[in-house]
Amino acid sequence: MYLEIITPDKKVFAGEVEAAQFPGTNGSFEVLDSHAPLISTLENGRIRITTAQGQTFYNVDGGVVEVLNNKIIVLAESVSE
């Protein structure tokens, strides 16, 4: 899957991932390969990205995530590691 995390200022992350976990408004959820199409709002919390190199965490201050055809786009208010 391809993931992009974008803020108004910059592109924080772009690359292939095996899994991604998000702090959804209605609870945390994880996206894996071939996930069904999805649009969700995000609360303040932590995004966990799993790649072949291991796990990376980003703190997000709200936003929106879209999942479609193995591509995930996160539009976030702000992101920190």
Side-chain angles (χ1 to χ4, degrees):
M1 292 182 300
Y2 188 77
L3 170 66
E4 286 184 340
I5 301 176
I6 303 167
T7 68
D9 300 331
K10 64 180 178 177
K11 188 178 291 190
V12 177
F13 178 90
E16 290 294 321
V17 299
E18 295 175 359
Q21 186 177 41
F22 300 99
T25 303
N26 293 323
S28 178
F29 63 95
E30 187 167 27
V31 176
L32 301 172
D33 196 39
S34 299
H35 196 283
L38 166 77
I39 295 177
S40 177
T41 53
L42 299 175
E43 291 206 336
N44 296 351
R46 186 169 74 168
I47 296 174
R48 182 184 74 199
I49 300 169
T50 305
T51 64
Q53 290 76 37
Q55 292 186 346
T56 305
F57 298 92
Y58 294 96
N59 293 313
V60 63
D61 292 330
V64 178
V65 60
E66 178 189 41
V67 179
L68 184 63
N69 297 328
N70 276 339
K71 183 172 182 180
I72 306 166
I73 299 174
V74 177
L75 303 175
E77 309 267 336
S78 67
V79 176
S80 62
E81 287 191 51

